[in-house]
Amino acid sequence: MAWSSFATGLNPGGHGIFDFLHRDTSDYSIDFSIAEQLPPETISLLGMEIPTSDGALVNRRQGQPFWLKAEHEGLRVAAMRVPVTYPVDPITHMLAGMGVPDLLGTQGTYTLIANHRIAAAESGGRVLMVRTSPDGSVQTELEGPNSPSSGKPMTVPVHIRADGDGVRLKLDGQEIALKPQQWSEWLTVRFRFLGLGSVDGMVRARLVSGFPRMRLYLTPIHVDPRSPALPISAPAHDAEHLAETIGVFHTLGMPEETWSMNQDHLDEAAWLDSVKTTLAEGEAMLKHRLAANDSDIIIETFVQPDRVSHMFWRGRDTGHPLHAESSDLARSAIDWIYGEADRIVGETRAALAPEDRLILLSDHGFSDYRRSAQVNRWLLEQGFLTLKPGARESGPLFAEVDWTQTRAYAMGLNGIYVNQVGREAQGIVKAEDKAALLADIAARITTCQDPEHQQQVVLRASLATDAYQGASSGDAPDLIVGFNRGYRASWQTSLGGVPAVLVEDNLQKWSGDHCVAPELVPGVLLTSFPLTQPVDGIGAVGALILSEAKRPSP
Ligand SMILES: [Zn+2]
């Protein structure tokens, strides 16, 4: 939402991105907010649906990004890895950031191969338990995207056998030696479909443990920038050129494997190692763009301080339930990433020409995430939400919610929605009753106390009609929940779940967050030049960049 405001200068009511997730009012399903695959147009003929056009992939963000304005005015822009830029805009150089899926079409699905029983992934991964063959090796297949011809998943063979304390891994014909606790280089995987062609992807492998209890981790299947199957760069060949110059790089929108670490399928050192790699890639991209000197505006997004803060906040928050048991690595990781960020800023400043100007901004700060609030449980306890007869709780996607008796529901990280007549498929709240209902919820939720810690869970609740202005407010939550420091909506809440307990300890490694009342987590703006007027939030930075880029050199 903040990066969309950065791009377009609009508030969320204008650009239409309010959360990572949005709901479909026709069936209460939940979908990813950034990109959308429109179905192909079809005509019905003799009882068959005949496609007349390919489906289109669209960025759901509305409004015009400032880099398009800049290009129309004759400036050349390089925008690298900015969130919500997928599919890309046609500018001098663009590499899409958060929003780019893996080859399965997900935001990142890893694979863990083991020859013994382990817990399945709750989210973001798949576990393959494979018996060791009589010859001592493990053989399986890595599933890729569905074949356009058969509709079934295409696969590549995987073969793993012991090699000292490590393994020899054969994946899609390539064979490498892998020691325990070591990341492989990129391995290409080519998924072929009948007679027509192939889709190229790539993964990195990490041997979590060798035989006899072998565990091999494979990253999500990234689009290969050398032959991209998806529109990840502008011009289309830019990704390939970049890979030739700086080496092959992660292309997935959120390549930091936070779910793997949350679920103990990847340890902290492995995770931080992979963050070091993406950091080095961002640095190389920025240095390459600076050295190429063919852009008037260069934007490089470094997400690593955000991701490291999410995963290791427990190491510095002495009140976090996992603080006492956090490792030395967890305790030092945030200082490390800020040290690295500082080094990169210093080196960038040193590389600037006298007429260059540097703007450094963040989209938010950070806060403690000690306790998870189940907002749908609260709505249930307060009588705004009702479950089907006999149900005491509900899994995700509102599975057990009785819509005929539900006036409000929560979804995403900060949103409460009214079940409104004429908008939601089974809406029961009339438009004229909506304001009073929202006022009632807002007043009550700010008095919600954490039963165990006697603390206020929600600092404030804002009406969308006050917070957002614009034509794209259709997906907006009706009420925005501003959590107090220490609290966040639970993961279950974000997916429309109604668990049994109202507030509970956050026992996940994802231990810091920023989806709280905004005054608790202000972003920063630093400039290498004096500002002539105040900058009113992240939505005003694009205009600042444009005016600075057009200003004659001193
Ligand atoms: Zn974040």
Side-chain angles (χ1 to χ4, degrees), residues 110 120-124 258-264 268 308-315 317 320-323 325-326 330 368-372 374 413 488-492 494 504-513:
Y110 64 87
E122 279 171 33
S123 187
T258 51
W259 286 110
S260 328
M261 184 165 134
N262 257 348
Q263 294 166 154
D264 288 326
E268 291 178 339
V308 171
S309 299
H310 278 302
M311 301 311 282
F312 292 112
W313 200 258
R314 60 202 152 87
D317 174 13
H320 194 277
L322 296 181
H323 178 73
E325 62 188 73
S326 54
D368 308 330
Y369 174 18
R370 300 172 181 175
R371 304 266 292 161
S372 289
Q374 305 288 359
L413 290 166
R488 208 205 70 180
S490 68
W491 296 107
Q492 295 99 319
S494 70
E504 57 197 345
D505 272 348
N506 170 23
L507 297 175
Q508 296 212 316
K509 295 196 170 72
W510 184 292
S511 49
D513 214 289

Side-chain angles (χ1 to χ4, degrees), residues 20 254 303 306-307 310 363-366 510 512-515:
F20 292 98
M254 285 184 72
V303 299
D306 173 87
R307 306 297 190 267
H310 278 302
D363 55 334
H364 52 69
F366 248 81
W510 184 292
D513 214 289
H514 44 82
C515 296

